[in-house]
Amino acid sequence: MNKVIGIDTGGTFTDAVIYDYDSMKILASCKTPTTVENLRICINNVLDKLPEEHMSDISTVSLSTTLVTNACVEGKGARGKLILIGSKPEEISKYGHDYGLPSIDDILFVDGEVDTQGNIISTPDWDKFKEDIVKEQNLVDGYAVVQVFGVINPVFELEAKKLIKQINNKPVICGHELSSKLNYMRRAVSSLLNCRIVPIFNNFLDAIKDNLMKRNINVRIVIVRGDGSIMTEEYAREKPVDTLLSGPAASVSGALKLSNLNDGIVLDMGGTTSDLAIVENSQVIMEETGANINGYKTSTPSIDMSTIGLGGDSEIIIDKNENIFVGPRRVQPICSLASKYPQIKTCLEELVKNKTTHTRPLGVFCYLIKDKNEIPFECLTHNEKNIVKALSDGPVDISTLCEACDISIYNLRLDGLINNSIIMKSSLTPTDIMHVNGEFDQWDVEAATLAVKQFALQYGFEVNQLCEKVYDSVCENIYLMIADKLIDYENIVYSTNRTNKKAKNEDRISYATQQKLLRHAFTGQGKYCNIDFKTNLPLIGIGAPSKIFLPRVAERLGTKCIIPKYAQVANAMGAAAGEISVCVDIIINPVYESNMLLYYNVIVPGNILRYDEYEDAEKAAMKKTYEYTEKTAIERGAINPVIEVTKHEKRAKISTDNIESSTPVKENFLISVIFTGKTKCNLSNIRAL
C-alpha cells in the first residue's frame, strides 16, 4: 500500500490526512489548533491524532501551508534588506509602491549597469558596497539582491552575494535565482519576501522533521508550491517564497478531488484568509505575471487566485460611524486565549459588570509569543521594551498594559512588535461570534459571550444585532470578492488600473460604481429598484467556517453551494495528492533595425545566445528547453522526467510599404517563437531519501 501523509499548517488550524495513493481514498483525517508561537506543538498534536494502525508503510509526507501567505498578509517576517543594482531611486519612488516595495530610504541602491544584451556598461563601487553592508549588518537578518536585467547576465548579483557572505554569512537570495521574468520590480518583491520568510519556513520544516523522527518516520518530504505542484524539502528551504499561496493551491486540488466536479468557484475560508479560484474543465487559470497578494506583486508562479484578509480569526473593528469591518489582520480569538488563561474571562466580567466604555476598544489583550531570550532588544524602542516587560508574566488587557508602561491608550503602538512576531493581539473575531451562536464549540463559549457583550456595550449595539452585522460584513466581503473575479473573467470593462486601455471612455464604469452596485445587489433591499448578480457556476466551499457563511453567499449569487465531505481538511488532501509539474519557456526573439533583420536572440535563464540563422537558433532553443525543464524537474525531486516540448510562433501583419525591398512581402512579421517544456511526475516518481 502506497500511503501518503498530507499536512496543511494554516494560521489557525493544522490539518492532516492519510491518503492511500493506490486506492485514492482517505484512510484517516484530523485537525488541531495551530500553535504559531511553537509549531512543534501543533505538528506533534496532529500526528498524535492520526490512528496508529495507518501509520505504517508511509512513503511520503506532503506539506502545504498558509504560513508564508499569512506572513505577507499580516506584514510579518525577519528583517530583510533589499539591494537594487542598476535601479534609480526615482523609479522606485514612482512605481515601487504599486508593487509593494519598501520606501527608498529602506533600500540600498548600488550603481552598475548591464544592457539588454547582457553587456557590462558600468561596474559598481564594490568598496563602498562593503562599507554599506558593514554599517547596517546588525540591523539586518538577510539580504535580497536584485539587478536590472539580472536574468540576462546576473554578474553583479553574484558578486554582491559573494561579498556579503565574506562579511557576515547571513542568508542572501538573488533575483535571478527565483525567477527568469524581466520585470525587476516583481523579482525584487519576491526576493525580499523570500528573505523575510526563511526563518518562519525553516522553523515549520524543522518542526515537521523533529516530530516525524520521534515516530521513526524517515521518509521523503515534499512541499506544495503556489502553482499547485510540489517540490523537495531542500528546494523549498532555499526558495520558500515559492510556497506563497501554497495552502490555497492545495485547497483547489483538494476541493476538486473531494467534490468530483470539473467546474466551479472554489472558496477556501480559513482562520486568516479567504482564497478564491475559478475552475473550468478541471483546469485552474494560472497567473502569468506572478502571484499578487495583499499589495505585493511578485514574480512567484501561482494559480490565478484572489486572496483577502478575511477569516474566522480576523479582527472585528467598528468605526465612529458604527460601520463594522472584519480583517485583514488576524488576532487570537478571545475564546481561544481564555481557554488557556482564565484571567481573561475575569477581566471581561469586570468590564461588563461595570459597563466600562472608552473611545478605544477595551476588550483587547496582548501576550508574548516569542521567547524572551530570542527577542532582539537592541532593535526595540524604549516603549516597546516596556511593553515586552509588562507582558512577561502572561496576557494583559490593553488598559492595564498602558498603565504599566505609562503610555496613553492613544499613543500605544503595537504594530512593530506584532509584525516581528514578538507579541500577539487578542480581541473579538468571527470565531467568537460562532461560539456565541452555537455553531462552534472548540474553546470557551462563556468568554466569547462576555467579549461580545463588552463590544456591544461599548458601541451601543444589542448582542444579537452585533452578531448579525458581523455575519453580514463577512458574507458581503466574500460576495464582492467572487463578483469582482467573475466580472474580470467576463472582461467587463471599468476604469481602474486593470482597465482595458482599448475600451472607449463611454463604455467604462468606475470601479467604485461597480462596487456600489454590487453592494446593492447583495442586500437585495432596494426601495426603488433591485439588482441581481447571478452565476451558473456552483460554489464549492472548504475550510472550517465555509459551512456557516457560504450557503448565504451562494443564495445571493443564485447558485448552489457544495460543502464536500472532508471539506475541513481539503488542503491536507490536496497536499497528499500532489505532483511535480514544471513549465519552462525558452524564447527566440528576432532583432531588427529599420525593419531589417540582423540576428536572432535565444533567451535562456541568466543568458542570451545570439545566432545569425534561424535554424541554428531553433536547434539551440529546443536543446535548452529540454535541458532547463529536466534540470528544474530534477531539482524539485523528479526521477527520469518525461518532457514534452511545444512551439508557438507570435506574428503580426505589417505594411509592406515600410520595408526596403524590391519584392512585396506577403508573409507575417515574426515577433517571437516560444518553446515550452512541460513535465509532470506523481508521488510515485519522486526522488527518495
Side-chain angles (χ1 to χ4, degrees), residues 326-379:
V326 184
R329 170 161 277 171
R330 176 187 177 269
V331 295
Q332 186 78 354
I334 293 290
C335 56
S336 173
L337 190 65
S339 65
K340 186 176 180 181
Y341 299 99
Q343 66 265 34
I344 301 298
K345 193 156 50 178
T346 303
C347 179
L348 289 169
E349 286 172 344
E350 287 294 317
L351 289 173
V352 172
K353 178 183 176 182
N354 297 328
K355 297 184 178 180
T356 308
T357 61
H358 198 281
T359 55
R360 293 293 173 91
L362 296 180
V364 177
F365 301 83
C366 295
Y367 62 100
L368 287 177
I369 58 174
K370 181 171 283 189
D371 188 286
K372 284 187 287 188
N373 295 324
E374 299 177 359
I375 297 174
F377 282 96
E378 69 277 6
C379 300

Side-chain angles (χ1 to χ4, degrees), residues 29 44 49 61 79 84 114 155 182 201 212 260 285 315 322 373 395 402 416 447-448 463 523 530 608 648 671:
S29 68
N44 182 68
K49 289 185 176 184
V61 174
R79 300 169 300 171
L84 293 180
V114 169
V155 57
L182 277 174
F201 191 76
L212 290 174
N260 291 318
I285 296 175
E315 184 177 18
E322 298 184 359
N373 295 324
C402 289
V463 168
T523 61
N530 283 319
I608 289 183
H648 175 63
I671 299 174

Side-chain angles (χ1 to χ4, degrees), residues 9 37 39 44 65 85 110 121 154 181 189 191 193 214 220 243 259 367 378 447 478 496 520 564 611 617 656 666:
T9 302
E37 65 276 13
L39 293 175
N44 182 68
T65 177
I85 305 175
V110 178
I121 305 301
K181 296 183 182 298
V189 172
S191 302
L193 289 177
K214 216 165 65 171
R220 61 194 175 194
T243 67
S259 65
Y367 62 100
E378 69 277 6
I478 293 173
T496 67
H520 185 69
Y611 296 90
T656 59
K666 297 181 180 180

Side-chain angles (χ1 to χ4, degrees), residues 270-506:
T272 307
T273 63
S274 290
D275 310 302
L276 169 71
I278 310 296
V279 181
E280 294 181 282
N281 298 320
S282 299
Q283 297 294 318
V284 185
I285 296 175
M286 299 299 295
E287 179 58 63
E288 292 184 4
T289 53
N292 298 334
I293 180 168
N294 200 42
Y296 295 112
K297 294 182 180 179
T298 76
S299 59
T300 304
S302 76
I303 60 177
D304 183 13
M305 177 166 278
S306 296
T307 297
I308 59 173
L310 178 69
D313 296 351
S314 295
E315 184 177 18
I316 297 172
I317 299 172
I318 301 181
D319 68 12
K320 61 182 179 181
N321 297 319
E322 298 184 359
N323 296 310
I324 293 179
F325 302 92
V326 184
R329 170 161 277 171
R330 176 187 177 269
V331 295
Q332 186 78 354
I334 293 290
C335 56
S336 173
L337 190 65
S339 65
K340 186 176 180 181
Y341 299 99
Q343 66 265 34
I344 301 298
K345 193 156 50 178
T346 303
C347 179
L348 289 169
E349 286 172 344
E350 287 294 317
L351 289 173
V352 172
K353 178 183 176 182
N354 297 328
K355 297 184 178 180
T356 308
T357 61
H358 198 281
T359 55
R360 293 293 173 91
L362 296 180
V364 177
F365 301 83
C366 295
Y367 62 100
L368 287 177
I369 58 174
K370 181 171 283 189
D371 188 286
K372 284 187 287 188
N373 295 324
E374 299 177 359
I375 297 174
F377 282 96
E378 69 277 6
C379 300
L380 303 184
T381 66
H382 174 73
N383 284 342
E384 287 175 336
K385 291 176 182 177
N386 287 338
I387 291 170
V388 169
K389 182 179 179 182
L391 299 177
S392 59
D393 294 326
V396 175
D397 71 279
I398 211 79
S399 296
T400 304
L401 180 62
C402 289
E403 290 176 10
C405 299
D406 193 24
I407 304 173
S408 165
I409 195 170
Y410 298 105
N411 295 325
L412 184 64
R413 302 289 181 265
L414 300 173
D415 285 353
L417 294 170
I418 292 173
N419 293 342
N420 286 299
S421 301
I422 295 174
I423 72 170
M424 187 74 174
K425 187 177 174 183
S426 177
S427 61
L428 190 67
T429 67
T431 296
D432 293 301
I433 307 291
M434 292 180 219
H435 279 72
V436 172
N437 288 344
E439 295 160 325
F440 206 41
D441 60 0
Q442 178 83 28
W443 294 297
D444 194 320
V445 176
E446 187 179 354
T449 303
L450 287 167
V452 173
K453 284 182 177 179
Q454 192 279 324
F455 221 73
L457 175 70
Q458 178 154 334
Y459 293 100
F461 290 108
E462 295 294 329
V463 168
N464 291 339
Q465 181 189 23
L466 174 61
C467 292
E468 186 62 25
K469 280 183 172 291
V470 170
Y471 274 28
D472 280 345
S473 179
V474 172
C475 290
E476 183 179 45
N477 281 314
I478 293 173
Y479 174 91
L480 291 173
M481 177 171 66
I482 294 172
D484 192 39
K485 193 74 168 179
L486 293 174
I487 287 172
D488 268 357
Y489 278 23
E490 290 286 0
N491 293 318
I492 297 174
V493 180
Y494 49 85
S495 58
T496 67
N497 289 333
R498 292 137 66 195
T499 298
N500 180 350
K501 297 295 189 291
K502 295 181 181 179
K504 297 178 181 179
N505 287 330
E506 58 266 26

